[in-house]
Amino acid sequence: MSSRGGAVDDSTPQGGTKGGWTWDEKPKGGKVGLMQFHVSPIKSVNLCRLPTLVSSFLSSHPTLDLLVLPEVWNSPYATSAFPSHAEPCGSPFDGSVPDSSTSPSSHLLRSLAMEHSIHIVGGSIPEMGPGGEVYNTCLVYSPDGTLVAKHRKVHLFDISVPGGVTFRESDTLTKGDNLLTTFQHPSLGNVGVGICYDLRFPELFLLHASSSTGGRKGLDLFVLPGAFNLTTGPKHWSLLQRARAVDAQCYVVSSSPARSTDEIAEENGRLTEGKGYPAYTAWGHSMGVDPWGTVVGEAGTGEENVVVEVDLGVVEGFKESVPTGEQKRTDLYTVERKG
């Protein structure tokens, strides 16, 4: 398997990139692998199973350039579970190596990136902050084991739909403030990172679209680990990804946990009996969308891997054909980043 590495950038305020990045040659695109699998309520089970899932996927698709995991892949998706499953995470480019005993999830992600020589967007995991605060955090590791980006979920999932779903991440999670988290990939260009509910805020994507790194305007690809549910999923999961791809004029890819079957839900309930974790059923349908808003790859509801081919010629062609980035009426309105 060839190396798919590349240094990345971390000097933008609040971002996950570091100044001075340039490409040796113009990036043209590549293949992104989206993993969709069942999440056990037992953290150690998820940690033990992930290496086999990754190895199997890469064995069947050895030319992947980027691997994406689902949101909260190591824990029950329950606010009451996040603190007990949280672990410390490092900071981009700080040179630290995660400890396998205190930070087993990030240690595993780093090891897998190095073992398979591939960039891994590690879905998200509950992170324990230095002051005891808990974040929903995405870690991105490069093939040399460097933590090249870290995104703490900016917009927390607090909703109440009558007859549908009620969930309040803010009961135990703290909002992140890394608004424009990006990293640079040698073949995939400028890559932005968000988590699930961040998808509902077009301002985030418009700010990304107006940014510039390494001589490339805006984003080429936006990666989103997510876990929409059976209420919001059928109505908005595909719709929002297609809209954001058009807004940001880039590819958007997402990885979701697989949807629990009745049998799995029953077993999970037995394993967590007495812990008070409410059941949460993910929508599934991990997918890829091109800048025109066309779905170019989509999973079903069960365990499934999806390969999305990213063609940066399509990104450049769309930006030239529909040059909204150059047509903003800044005399009438602006979208500005604060802080």
Side-chain angles (χ1 to χ4, degrees):
M1 188 177 299
S2 62
S3 173
R4 314 172 187 91
V8 188
D9 195 39
D10 181 273
S11 68
T12 51
Q14 303 182 359
T17 58
K18 193 171 189 175
W21 170 271
T22 56
W23 282 266
D24 293 334
E25 58 184 54
K26 182 179 178 181
K28 297 180 180 179
K31 296 179 181 180
V32 180
L34 309 177
M35 299 187 69
Q36 179 171 294
F37 52 84
H38 293 297
V39 177
S40 169
I42 308 301
K43 184 173 181 177
S44 60
V45 172
N46 297 310
L47 295 175
C48 289
R49 189 165 182 249
L50 184 62
T52 300
L53 293 172
V54 170
S55 295
S56 176
F57 192 8
L58 291 175
S59 292
S60 59
H61 295 87
T63 59
L64 291 180
D65 298 284
L66 179 69
L67 195 63
V68 186
L69 274 62
E71 182 182 19
V72 191
W73 61 267
N74 70 340
S75 163
Y77 196 84
T79 55
S80 54
F82 294 151
S84 61
H85 287 71
E87 60 187 62
C89 300
S91 298
F93 300 94
D94 66 0
S96 64
V97 176
D99 184 271
S100 60
S101 59
T102 58
S103 302
S105 304
S106 49
H107 179 272
L108 177 59
L109 292 171
R110 179 178 184 270
S111 298
L112 290 171
M114 296 175 68
E115 176 185 352
H116 296 286
S117 189
I118 190 171
H119 278 83
I120 292 182
V121 177
S124 76
I125 62 174
E127 177 196 3
M128 182 63 68
E133 62 277 14
V134 180
Y135 300 95
N136 188 343
T137 299
C138 177
L139 305 173
V140 182
Y141 282 98
S142 69
D144 66 1
T146 300
L147 179 61
V148 297
K150 173 180 174 178
H151 180 78
R152 290 169 169 169
K153 193 172 188 177
V154 174
H155 304 93
L156 297 184
F157 178 48
D158 285 8
I159 71 168
S160 181
V161 180
V165 62
T166 297
F167 203 95
R168 287 185 55 82
E169 279 190 324
S170 62
D171 285 346
T172 56
L173 293 181
T174 298
K175 298 175 184 177
D177 59 7
N178 295 347
L179 183 60
L180 302 185
T181 304
T182 61
F183 67 98
Q184 281 64 56
H185 190 284
S187 60
L188 296 170
N190 284 334
V191 184
V193 182
I195 301 174
C196 200
Y197 204 61
D198 290 335
L199 181 64
R200 291 188 177 274
F201 298 86
E203 298 86 352
L204 171 64
F205 290 78
L206 294 173
L207 286 168
H208 268 299
S210 64
S211 66
S212 181
T213 304
R216 294 184 68 79
K217 178 75 171 180
L219 293 179
D220 298 295
L221 170 67
F222 191 90
V223 181
L224 187 101
F228 275 39
N229 53 72
L230 300 188
T231 298
T232 61
K235 295 184 179 297
H236 298 154
W237 177 245
S238 175
L239 171 68
L240 289 172
Q241 289 182 72
R242 295 178 64 205
R244 296 296 91 83
V246 175
D247 288 342
Q249 300 189 307
C250 69
Y251 282 82
V252 172
V253 298
S254 61
S255 282
S256 166
R259 190 183 306 177
S260 299
T261 62
D262 291 342
E263 293 78 8
I264 290 175
E266 183 178 347
E267 174 65 8
N268 289 346
R270 184 187 67 78
L271 292 171
T272 59
E273 187 174 358
K275 294 186 177 181
Y277 300 159
Y280 184 93
T281 304
W283 172 240
H285 291 281
S286 302
M287 68 171 53
V289 181
D290 75 10
W292 289 92
T294 302
V295 176
V296 293
E298 181 176 359
T301 61
E303 290 203 326
E304 186 177 348
N305 296 320
V306 176
V307 176
V308 175
E309 296 203 20
V310 172
D311 182 350
L312 298 191
V314 173
V315 175
E316 294 172 3
F318 183 68
K319 290 178 179 179
E320 292 174 359
S321 299
V322 188
T324 55
E326 302 170 9
Q327 297 170 330
K328 306 293 185 186
R329 287 294 306 273
T330 54
D331 57 322
L332 298 178
Y333 58 83
T334 58
V335 178
E336 297 180 349
R337 170 178 168 175
K338 297 186 179 295

